[in-house]
């Protein structure tokens, strides 16, 4: 897929991310906010410029291309930042943001752009006139209903501190002339330093739902309340959402509503995500409620199982079916990336986490914004990206889960079981066979088809048959067998005539590359590929391309093999060493591979090095493999590295036995 970089720049083909075609919007920007209109064709992205302006860009073709940047804060002096936008069913766009004047006072500005118009009309929201001339209004949130109702919330500081709310029933016009009775204190005044309000209205515009964080009894917690059609608080005491965990601090909550909430069932009508920090480890947590009166147990969204790494800035969306989408900033690879996950079991668990950005280095990507289309099938993401030096706003749109859905079944921990997808899922005959006593507890297993998977980086070909086996963090005491079927049409489409050449590949979440499983079995009669694995993740079918250069190039292409059934770092992918020594089973290659798994992947700097290595090494290895003299030179260059790796492995092995 080709994408375009806009704002007076040359044509650029951007690198495809895991699931997305990515469009950079504008340089030196931050804090993007993203919405789509009801049709899904018009996409709006707003952001702040480094020098203090608010900008907007619009796509009219579902995000394939964007138009000319529009200055939202035109003619407004001071530093403008932290924008939020919303769009109503008619296509009218609304915005709110902070404005800091030269004297340090911070106010809110509200603006709107009617459908088919070319500019914003903006006005100060005169809150200072009622809460104090020196008071500051920060961290604004905004939502709009289909009945001309606009609601805003904000944190007030430096006088009448607290969490506040205001409403307009005439498309926001009255916010420019707001009166004291229309300004409502939201929090119950028993907590201090409220932050990060998030506000949503139901489809009727009558009921408003608000979440925020604040400090209470020495810890920062996530709180919730709701207002009725007369703006009366539902709960005298703010409802705490997050579970009490010793030493935990919760921050940055984001709230969303199921489009058809209030149906009286047990679906996740109200969803919340937030940062949860315990002992310097910050994770993304989720909770849900049918009506806001009762909340469940917190569920961790991120699935990194390495040395604790930070996750932050979560965003959440939910569709009519109750499937939940989450995105956040993640430091698991030694630098900030944007990750994504989905829950198809009403928030009980989240599937394998997926890397969104696919830059070829260690540049920072953070501050995602997430929006789900009205149909619930397509979603958009924007984020701040530093891959070209200064911050740019990048945009992407795609679909993650096949419309055929997922197949789920409960597997007993003692007796085990077989989970086989049926024809209704469009991944018929995909299967996992679980022996008895390999699970810690009974587990609700799922099999889901993944669309737009990442490409194989070593020149192999991946079939359009990639499956997520979940829950993503499931680890087995002994290997289990997974089976993925194929058809003649699928291999023909990939340019392969003989299904016997198929291999199963595992997407390694540490190295962020596909690795070939060594124990693949192909049943060409029944057209099924099977392998034994020790954990759940994303698996796919592919094959080694016929390449010039004989056995050496074939060895490079197959260097993802040699692993232990797809667990952990799993064994393969030492491309340059394989090219130099001619085989992935060469003793020196195996030493380097063990050093990678046991030493490099166990620390942040090592993971960063491995990530960079796998971005560039396949192409270097292919060049080396065709040149015998260069292969000899590389072997001499690698000799000290092999010796040092061997010494380190022996030393650590002896130390562990003491």
């Amino acid at each position: 897929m080709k994408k375009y970089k806009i704002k007076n720049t040359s044509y650029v083909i951007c690198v495809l991310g895991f699931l997305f075609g990515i469009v950079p919007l504008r340089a030196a920007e931050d804090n993007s906010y993203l919405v789509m209109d009801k049709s899904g064709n018009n996409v709006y992205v707003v952001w702040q410029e480094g020098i203090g302006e608010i900008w907007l860009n619009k796509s009219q073709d579902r995000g394939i291309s964007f138009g000319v940047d529009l200055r939202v804060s035109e003619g407004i002096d001071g530093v403008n930042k932290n924008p939020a936008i919303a769009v109503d069913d008619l296509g009218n766009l609304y915005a709110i943001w902070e404005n800091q004047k030269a004297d340090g006072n911070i106010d809110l500005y509200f603006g709107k752009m009617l459908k088919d118009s070319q500019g914003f009309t903006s006005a100060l929201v005169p809150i200072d006139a009622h809460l104090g001339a020196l008071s500051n209004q920060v961290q604004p949130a905004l939502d709009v209903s289909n009945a001309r109702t606009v609601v805003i919330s904000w944190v007030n500081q430096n006088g009448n501190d607290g969490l506040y709310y205001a409403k307009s029933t005439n498309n926001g016009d009255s916010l420019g002339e707001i009166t004291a009775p229309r300004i409502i204190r939201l929090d119950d005044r028993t907590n201090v330093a409220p932050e990060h309000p998030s506000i949503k209205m139901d489809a009727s515009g009558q009921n408003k739902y608000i979440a925020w964080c604040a400090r209470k009894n020495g810890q920062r917690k996530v709180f919730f309340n709701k207002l009725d059609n007369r703006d009366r608080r539902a709960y005298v005491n703010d409802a705490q959402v997050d579970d009490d965990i010793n030493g935990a601090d919760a921050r940055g909550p984001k709230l969303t509503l199921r489009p058809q909430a209030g149906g009286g069932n047990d679906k996740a009508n109200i969803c919340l995500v937030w940062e949860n920090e315990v002992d310097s480890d910050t994770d993304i947590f989720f909770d849900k409620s049918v009506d806001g009166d009762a909340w469940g147990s917190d569920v961790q969204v991120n699935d990194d199982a390495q040395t604790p790494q930070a996750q932050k800035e979560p965003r959440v969306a939910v569709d009519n079916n109750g499937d939940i989408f989450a995105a956040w900033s993640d430091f698991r690879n030694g630098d900030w990336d944007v990750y994504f996950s989905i829950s198809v079991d009403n928030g009980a668990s989240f599937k394998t986490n997926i890397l969104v950005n696919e830059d070829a280095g260690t540049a920072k990507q953070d501050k995602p914004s997430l929006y789900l289309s009205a149909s619930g099938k397509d979603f958009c993401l924007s984020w701040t990206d530093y891959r070209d030096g200064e911050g740019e706003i990048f945009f992407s749109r795609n679909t993650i889960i096949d419309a055929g859905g997922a197949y789920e079944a409960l597997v007993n921990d003692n007796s085990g079981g077989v989970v086989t997808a049926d024809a209704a899922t469009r991944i018929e005959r995909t299967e996992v066979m679980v022996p008895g006593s390999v699970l810690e507890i009974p587990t609700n297993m799922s099999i889901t088809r993944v669309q737009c998977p990442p490409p194989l980086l070593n020149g192999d070909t991946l079939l359009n048959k990639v499956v997520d086996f979940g829950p993503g963090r499931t680890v087995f005491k002994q290997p289990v067998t997974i089976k993925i079927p194929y058809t003649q049409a699928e291999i023909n489409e990939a340019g392969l005539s003989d299904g016997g050449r198929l291999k199963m590949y595992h997407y390694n979440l540490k190295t962020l590359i596909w690795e070939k499983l060594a124990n693949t079995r192909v049943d060409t009669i029944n057209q099924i590929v099977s392998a034994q694995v020790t954990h759940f993740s994303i698996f796919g079918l592919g094959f080694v391309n016929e390449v010039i250069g004989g056995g050496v190039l074939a060895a490079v292409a197959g260097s993802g093999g040699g692993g232990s059934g797809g667990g952990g770092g799993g064994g393969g992918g030492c491309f340059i060493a394989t090219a130099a020594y001619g085989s992935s089973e060469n003793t020196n290659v195996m030493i380097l591979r063990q050093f990678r798994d046991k030493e490099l992947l166990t620390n942040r700097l090592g993971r960063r090095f491995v990530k960079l290595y796998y971005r560039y090494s396949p192409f270097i290895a292919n060049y080396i493999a065709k040149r015998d003299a260069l292969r000899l030179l590389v072997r001499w260059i690698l000799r000290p590295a092999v010796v040092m790796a061997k010494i380190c492995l022996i030393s650590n092995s002896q130390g562990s036995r003491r």
Side-chain angles (χ1 to χ4, degrees):
M1 183 185 300
K2 295 181 179 179
K3 291 295 181 179
Y4 300 88
K5 186 173 183 179
I6 66 173
K7 189 62 180 179
N8 299 322
T9 56
S10 61
Y11 168 73
V12 175
I13 300 177
C14 296
V15 179
L16 280 175
F18 188 100
L19 300 169
F20 309 98
I22 299 172
V23 184
L25 294 181
R26 181 181 166 94
E29 314 302 340
D30 201 6
N31 284 341
S32 64
Y33 200 105
L34 166 74
V35 296
M36 282 185 282
D37 69 1
K38 187 176 182 180
S39 72
N41 294 321
N42 296 310
V43 181
Y44 304 88
V45 184
V46 67
W47 65 91
Q48 70 183 56
E49 190 179 25
I51 60 174
E53 296 285 358
I54 305 298
W55 292 86
L56 170 82
N57 208 314
K58 176 183 177 181
S59 171
Q60 296 177 289
D61 55 11
R62 300 168 59 86
I64 296 174
S65 63
F66 281 81
V68 178
D69 294 345
L70 172 68
R71 195 197 311 260
V72 177
S73 55
E74 181 74 41
I76 301 174
D77 296 334
V79 177
N80 301 280
K81 62 181 182 178
N82 290 339
I85 54 175
V87 61
D88 63 22
D89 277 2
L90 297 177
N92 302 314
L93 189 68
Y94 306 83
I96 195 166
W97 66 93
E98 298 177 20
N99 170 267
Q100 183 172 352
K101 299 299 186 185
D103 62 4
N105 189 45
I106 304 174
D107 297 306
L108 299 184
Y109 273 78
F110 171 80
K112 67 179 180 179
M113 183 174 71
L114 299 180
K115 183 182 179 182
D116 299 326
S117 67
Q118 300 302 314
F120 268 82
T121 58
S122 303
L124 171 72
V125 185
I127 298 168
D128 282 3
H130 311 292
L131 296 183
L134 298 179
S135 69
N136 293 326
Q137 293 83 50
V138 299
Q139 300 174 357
L142 167 78
D143 199 19
V144 59
S145 77
N146 302 328
R148 296 168 51 88
T149 300
V150 178
V151 293
I152 62 173
S153 63
W154 69 92
V155 173
N156 216 71
Q157 298 175 345
N158 199 33
N160 288 306
D161 292 16
L163 183 68
Y164 286 84
Y165 158 89
K167 177 178 71 175
S168 167
T169 56
N170 59 354
N171 285 59
D173 291 343
S174 60
L175 292 176
E177 302 173 350
I178 197 168
T179 60
R182 292 187 175 274
I183 299 175
I184 298 174
R185 178 79 178 263
L186 281 176
D187 58 306
D188 64 9
R189 304 171 190 258
T190 64
N191 52 61
V192 297
E195 289 182 326
H196 307 296
S198 182
I199 187 167
K200 293 292 179 182
M201 280 188 291
D202 63 16
S204 71
Q206 300 297 308
N207 302 302
K208 284 75 65 175
Y209 304 83
I210 306 99
W212 69 97
C213 63
R215 185 164 293 279
K216 189 171 185 177
N217 299 326
Q219 288 181 291
R220 188 160 290 277
K221 299 293 183 181
V222 175
F223 294 99
F224 171 84
N225 216 318
K226 58 183 179 180
L227 306 176
D228 62 14
N229 62 333
R230 298 178 61 183
D231 292 337
R232 296 173 299 193
R233 290 162 43 91
Y235 317 119
V236 175
N237 298 315
D238 299 330
Q240 181 181 321
V241 175
D242 59 313
D243 298 339
D244 282 318
I245 302 173
N246 290 334
D249 271 326
R251 292 183 175 87
K254 289 297 176 182
L255 172 74
T256 193
L257 302 180
R258 184 163 155 251
Q260 297 179 358
N265 54 39
D266 61 351
K267 289 288 187 179
N269 290 330
I270 308 171
C271 297
L272 262 170
V273 290
W274 65 91
E275 304 170 12
N276 201 77
E277 181 180 3
V278 181
D279 297 330
S280 301
D281 182 24
T282 306
D283 296 300
I284 305 303
F285 274 62
F286 165 86
D287 206 346
K288 66 181 187 295
S289 176
V290 173
D291 52 15
D293 293 340
W295 295 82
S297 298
D298 300 344
V299 175
Q300 184 172 323
V301 177
N302 56 290
D303 63 7
D304 61 310
Q306 306 162 16
T307 303
Q309 299 289 355
Q311 284 80 28
K312 65 177 183 177
E313 300 160 348
R315 300 294 184 266
V316 65
V318 60
D319 65 14
N320 288 333
N321 295 325
D323 293 339
I324 300 149
F325 302 75
W328 64 93
S329 304
D330 199 302
F331 202 74
R332 72 178 68 184
N333 300 313
D335 59 271
W336 286 109
D337 294 299
V338 175
Y339 269 76
F340 177 88
S341 187
I342 184 173
S343 172
V344 294
D345 56 9
N346 199 33
S349 64
F350 281 81
K351 288 189 168 293
T352 302
N353 297 176
I354 297 168
L355 179 69
V356 174
N357 55 276
E358 188 57 51
D359 65 306
T362 58
K364 179 171 71 172
Q365 289 83 24
D366 64 356
K367 299 180 181 176
S369 179
L370 170 67
Y371 200 86
L372 189 66
S373 67
S375 67
K377 297 300 182 184
D378 300 300
F379 58 86
C380 293
L381 275 167
S382 65
W383 66 91
T384 305
D385 199 303
Y386 294 86
R387 69 181 66 183
D388 295 325
E390 247 180 340
E392 296 176 309
I393 304 303
F394 274 59
F395 166 86
S396 67
R397 172 179 181 141
N398 215 304
T399 303
I400 177 174
I401 296 299
D402 190 296
Y407 185 85
E408 300 181 5
L410 183 67
V411 177
N412 187 278
D413 53 328
N414 291 322
S415 59
V418 178
V419 179
T420 307
D422 58 29
T425 63
R426 295 177 59 183
I427 48 173
E428 183 181 7
R429 297 194 300 149
T430 304
E431 183 175 275
V432 55
M433 302 175 63
V434 184
S437 302
V438 302
L439 290 168
E440 295 290 345
I441 58 174
T443 302
N444 191 43
M445 294 185 177
S446 62
I447 305 173
T448 311
R449 184 164 181 166
V450 175
Q451 293 183 332
C452 305
L456 286 167
L457 296 181
N458 62 356
D460 293 1
T461 296
L462 193 67
L463 266 63
N464 185 24
K465 204 60 172 291
V466 177
V467 181
D468 177 72
F469 290 86
R473 285 177 288 174
T474 304
V475 177
F476 302 100
K477 299 176 184 177
Q478 297 177 16
V480 304
T481 300
I482 60 174
K483 297 181 178 181
I484 301 178
Y486 66 92
T487 66
Q488 190 64 43
E490 288 170 338
I491 63 174
N492 288 344
E493 181 183 5
L496 180 68
S497 58
D498 179 15
R501 288 180 52 201
L502 287 173
K503 301 292 182 182
M504 191 175 295
Y505 292 76
H506 156 245
Y507 190 68
N508 191 318
L509 295 175
K510 291 183 179 180
T511 62
L512 305 178
I513 67 165
W514 288 99
E515 295 184 355
K516 186 172 58 180
L517 302 187
N519 57 5
T520 300
R521 300 287 185 271
V522 182
D523 179 353
T524 56
I525 303 299
N526 296 302
Q527 296 185 311
I528 290 178
V529 183
S530 62
Q532 288 195 314
V533 300
T534 56
H535 80 303
F536 272 169
S537 182
I538 296 174
F539 297 87
L541 300 184
F543 60 93
V544 178
N545 286 326
E546 297 288 352
V547 291
I548 60 173
V552 175
L553 274 177
V556 174
S559 63
S564 56
C574 293
F575 299 111
I576 293 176
T578 301
Y581 290 104
S583 170
S584 62
E585 302 305 314
N586 180 276
T587 302
N588 297 306
V589 178
M590 295 176 70
I591 290 172
L592 292 173
R593 194 159 57 229
Q594 291 178 41
F595 180 75
R596 178 202 65 185
D597 293 343
K598 296 181 179 180
E599 305 297 332
L600 293 180
L601 291 178
T602 59
N603 63 85
R604 187 182 70 179
L605 290 178
R607 287 192 297 273
R608 179 174 294 186
F609 171 79
V610 170
K611 180 181 178 181
L612 277 173
Y613 176 82
Y614 283 115
R615 292 293 181 268
Y616 300 110
S617 63
F619 312 102
I620 298 173
N622 281 336
Y623 183 83
I624 293 171
K626 301 174 186 178
R627 295 161 174 83
D628 290 341
L630 189 55
R631 290 176 55 219
L632 178 61
L633 176 62
V634 173
R635 287 200 294 271
W636 277 98
I637 294 173
L638 287 176
R639 180 175 293 182
V642 173
V643 172
M644 293 301 297
K646 187 173 182 180
I647 292 173
C648 185
L649 289 169
I650 293 174
S651 176
N652 287 346
S653 176
Q654 291 174 343
S656 65
R657 290 197 294 265
R658 292 193 181 103

